């Protein structure tokens, strides 16, 4: 029975909360930083993931309604102020079209070139704006394991110090330090793995969105080019 009580006490000593409380200030700081990074990663996953999904669905609906519309100017006046990447691309094209065709003499080749530049710049701007929100995920995914490894090295150093101080190399002496060291590594991986997976997933979504916006911009460019030929 005494052995069972001892085993229960050892298990309680090696619980996550006990490991955190018995760690020194350096390892505690590492653990707190990694836990904060993990919370941030999951917050980005839930908020940004849901937002990007809704935005891509809304952009798809916007483009579908645009191609069904009979009057580009009327559609733009009714829907062009929406905070959607497709709406921003359309707005850039309409603005450049109006500036380039405002005079009596229209440079058709120059207008086509400026339209392409304006709309593809809008595409790049919208993608960059969304990419800024996931850049931190890449940083956490690459840095967190090394921060956890630092906590591991520090904890093992404390274990060797305990061996020297106690003049005893038994498992009871070194187990707490090694356990808290490995716990820091586990927290680092817990923060890094979801960050890497989420970053790769969001990057693929952004690539698909960029391709979709590029096709939309090319379609707009072809439409405006036909208008120039009609005017000619």
């Amino acid at each position: 029975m005494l052995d069972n009580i001892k085993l229960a006490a050892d298990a309680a000593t090696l619980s996550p909360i006990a490991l955190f409380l018995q760690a020194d200030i350096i390892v505690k700081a590492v653990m707190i930083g990694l836990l904060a990074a993990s919370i941030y990663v999951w917050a980005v996953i839930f908020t940004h993931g849901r937002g990007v999904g809704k935005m891509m669905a809304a952009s798809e609906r916007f483009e579908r309604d645009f191609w069904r519309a009979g009057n580009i100017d009327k559609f733009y006046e009714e829907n062009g102020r929406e905070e959607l990447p497709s709406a921003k691309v359309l707005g850039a094209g309409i603005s450049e079209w109006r500036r380039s065709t405002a005079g009596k003499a229209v440079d058709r080749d120059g207008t086509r070139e400026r339209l392409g530049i304006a709309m593809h710049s809008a595409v790049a701007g919208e993608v960059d704006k969304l990419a800024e929100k996931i850049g931190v995920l890449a940083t956490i995914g690459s840095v967190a394991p090394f921060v956890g490894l630092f906590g591991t090295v520090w904890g093992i150093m404390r274990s060797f110090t305990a061996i020297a101080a106690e003049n005893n190399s038994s498992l009871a002496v070194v187990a707490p330090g090694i356990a808290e060291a490995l716990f820091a590594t586990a927290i680092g991986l817990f923060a890094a793995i979801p960050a890497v997976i989420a970053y790769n997933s969001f990057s693929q979504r952004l690539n698909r969105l960029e391709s979709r916006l590029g096709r939309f911009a090319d379609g707009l460019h072809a439409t405006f080019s036909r208008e120039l030929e009609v005017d000619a």
Side-chain angles (χ1 to χ4, degrees):
M1 183 174 180
L2 291 176
D3 291 339
N4 292 335
I5 295 175
K6 184 177 183 300
L7 289 174
D10 290 342
T13 302
L14 297 179
S15 67
I17 296 177
L19 290 174
F20 174 78
L21 294 177
Q22 70 189 13
D24 73 341
I25 187 64
I26 300 297
V27 180
K28 280 183 179 178
V30 170
M31 291 180 179
I32 291 173
L34 291 174
L35 284 173
S38 179
I39 292 172
Y40 177 82
V41 167
W42 285 105
V44 172
I45 289 174
F46 285 113
T47 59
H48 189 63
R50 183 183 303 175
V52 170
K54 290 182 178 179
M55 181 202 63
M56 292 183 70
S59 294
E60 182 179 355
R61 185 169 53 253
F62 179 90
E63 294 174 23
R64 184 175 62 249
D65 293 341
F66 171 79
W67 294 120
R68 290 176 179 175
N71 190 310
I72 295 178
D73 289 326
K74 182 179 179 181
F75 180 86
Y76 177 71
E77 294 301 327
E78 294 176 352
N79 306 282
R81 303 299 187 270
E82 294 186 23
E83 291 297 324
L84 295 173
S86 298
K88 300 296 184 182
V89 175
L90 176 61
I94 292 290
S95 298
E96 183 58 43
W97 169 267
R98 290 176 177 175
R99 285 194 298 267
S100 297
T101 59
K104 294 181 179 180
V106 177
D107 181 2
R108 290 174 175 80
D109 291 335
T111 299
R112 290 188 179 93
E113 182 178 355
R114 288 190 294 271
L115 283 169
I117 293 173
M119 289 186 291
H120 284 92
S121 295
V123 171
E126 292 301 309
V127 173
D128 289 343
K129 189 188 302 181
L130 293 172
E132 289 178 359
K133 298 180 181 179
I134 67 171
V136 180
L137 294 180
T139 301
I140 293 175
S142 59
V143 173
F146 294 101
V147 176
L149 181 61
F150 171 76
T152 300
V153 173
W154 191 269
I156 292 175
M157 288 171 58
R158 287 190 64 221
S159 297
F160 284 119
T161 303
I163 292 174
E166 297 289 337
N167 196 21
N168 186 354
S169 60
S170 68
L171 185 62
V173 174
V174 300
I178 294 177
E180 72 184 45
L182 296 177
F183 187 51
T185 301
I187 297 176
L189 294 176
F190 182 74
I193 292 173
V196 172
I197 294 174
Y199 178 78
N200 290 335
S201 176
F202 289 147
S203 296
Q204 291 177 359
R205 284 189 176 186
L206 286 181
N207 290 335
R208 291 198 302 269
L209 177 63
E210 184 175 11
S211 298
R212 185 182 188 86
L213 291 176
R215 291 192 298 270
F216 182 59
D218 290 340
L220 287 174
H221 191 271
T223 301
F224 288 130
S225 295
R226 284 193 295 271
E227 289 293 326
L228 287 173
E229 292 174 2
V230 170
D231 292 340

